[in-house]
Amino acid sequence: MSGNVRLLSDTLAAAKQEGRSALIAYLPAGFPTVDGGIEAVKAALEGGADVVEVGLPHSDPVLDGPVIQTADDIALRGGVRIADVMRTVREAHAATGAPILVMTYWNPIDRYGVERFTAELAEAGGAGCILPDLPVQESALWREHAEKHGLATVFVVAPSSKDERLAEITAAGSGFVYAASLMGVTGTRESVSSQAEDLVRRTRATTRIPVCVGLGVSSPAQAAEVARFADGVIVGSAFVKRMLDAPDDAAGVEAVRTLAGELAKGVRGQL
């Protein structure tokens, strides 16, 4: 069974053809429940997101800020497992036909088994993985299995990355490059870092694959700002915060759908 790396590439290319950035939403699996998380992913796509990153909740995250950590804690206390992450990918992809990636730290994959994880993700219809803490120089085993199963390997670059390092990272990656707009953890912010545009420019000089920007984008206006210079706009904490603030799970799902629609207008320049 081959994964959906091609679907991811085609989706990003179609957005570019329309003269706009793609909207990429992040939501953790198992939050507020496994079923509720699946409904939230579907709502994000139905509301206007082009791609979704499904987070694999982790007890010791290095990139996730307090909002996503709170959601991860709820999911972990609810007993979420890798099988639930795969189910989330499978059911959301089957319902929408959209490309869905998993964002995960390396330790859970290492313990689960690289071959097993990549085979199951491909079978579920997944498009690939974002691996924020896997160094490129230690990624050969992962990339071998990901390529065999038709999965994208998305690496994260940061404003601190030197040009030579950017070239090394982008040469090893596929699908798109995740450009972290600032140094630090995820979370909504009042403004998007001015470093983001420079990082996109430097990254683009090393690769032809799309460069998508995340960390800090929370409003339609910010999405529109980033869409001026990036191939994709990644939004996570703002979706999770809407769900945390909702009075019940159903309202949380509708809040995700509404925010996706607002952000979709932002990346399309329709504000």
Side-chain angles (χ1 to χ4, degrees):
M1 180 79 179
S2 183
N4 274 313
V5 63
R6 180 66 186 271
L7 175 64
L8 175 64
S9 298
D10 288 350
T11 300
L12 294 172
K16 186 173 186 177
Q17 196 75 27
E18 292 174 20
R20 66 174 179 89
S21 277
L23 174 60
I24 302 175
Y26 167 94
L27 289 159
F31 168 72
T33 62
V34 176
D35 288 343
I38 292 168
E39 291 307 309
V41 172
K42 292 195 292 192
L45 291 161
E46 290 160 3
D50 299 287
V51 179
V52 168
E53 304 170 5
V54 171
L56 195 162
H58 194 272
S59 57
D60 187 27
V62 295
L63 187 70
D64 299 315
V67 170
I68 291 173
Q69 283 187 36
T70 299
D72 278 5
D73 187 52
I74 290 168
L76 289 166
R77 281 192 282 113
V80 71
R81 295 286 182 268
I82 287 179
D84 300 313
V85 177
M86 298 299 179
R87 183 185 150 213
T88 301
V89 172
R90 179 182 297 105
E91 294 193 14
H93 172 66
T96 64
I100 301 181
L101 302 107
V102 169
M103 187 165 188
T104 179
Y105 298 99
W106 179 245
N107 182 257
I109 294 178
D110 194 35
R111 291 183 62 185
Y112 197 72
V114 177
E115 169 59 23
R116 181 183 175 196
F117 189 94
T118 51
E120 289 184 9
L121 183 56
E123 188 274 329
C129 256
I130 300 159
L131 302 159
D133 67 339
L134 178 65
V136 169
Q137 59 270 27
E138 296 174 24
S139 68
L141 177 67
W142 163 266
R143 286 187 286 128
E144 175 193 336
H145 287 288
E147 196 170 329
K148 180 171 85 172
H149 289 291
L151 299 169
T153 298
V154 178
F155 289 114
V156 178
V157 297
S160 60
S161 303
K162 300 284 188 285
D163 290 353
E164 313 82 68
R165 180 71 175 151
L166 288 176
E168 185 184 2
I169 292 169
T170 59
S174 55
F176 64 90
V177 182
Y178 187 127
S181 66
L182 41 78
M183 303 302 295
V185 297
T186 60
T188 62
R189 288 174 174 82
E190 294 302 311
S191 62
V192 177
S193 165
S194 59
Q195 297 173 307
E197 189 166 0
D198 180 62
L199 177 58
V200 170
R201 179 187 58 76
R202 292 194 299 118
T203 305
R204 277 209 181 116
T206 71
T207 185
R208 289 184 163 188
I209 65 174
V211 182
C212 303
V213 170
L215 269 68
V217 180
S218 60
S219 70
Q222 289 174 341
E225 183 188 341
V226 173
R228 284 191 305 101
F229 57 83
D231 298 301
V233 180
I234 303 168
V235 181
S237 295
F239 282 111
V240 176
K241 190 170 188 310
R242 292 272 181 114
M243 293 181 74
L244 286 169
D245 291 346
D248 55 54
D249 292 357
V253 169
E254 286 313 304
V256 165
R257 191 189 313 276
T258 299
L259 180 58
E262 294 167 356
L263 293 165
K265 287 182 179 175
V267 301
R268 286 170 169 80
Q270 296 173 350
L271 297 181

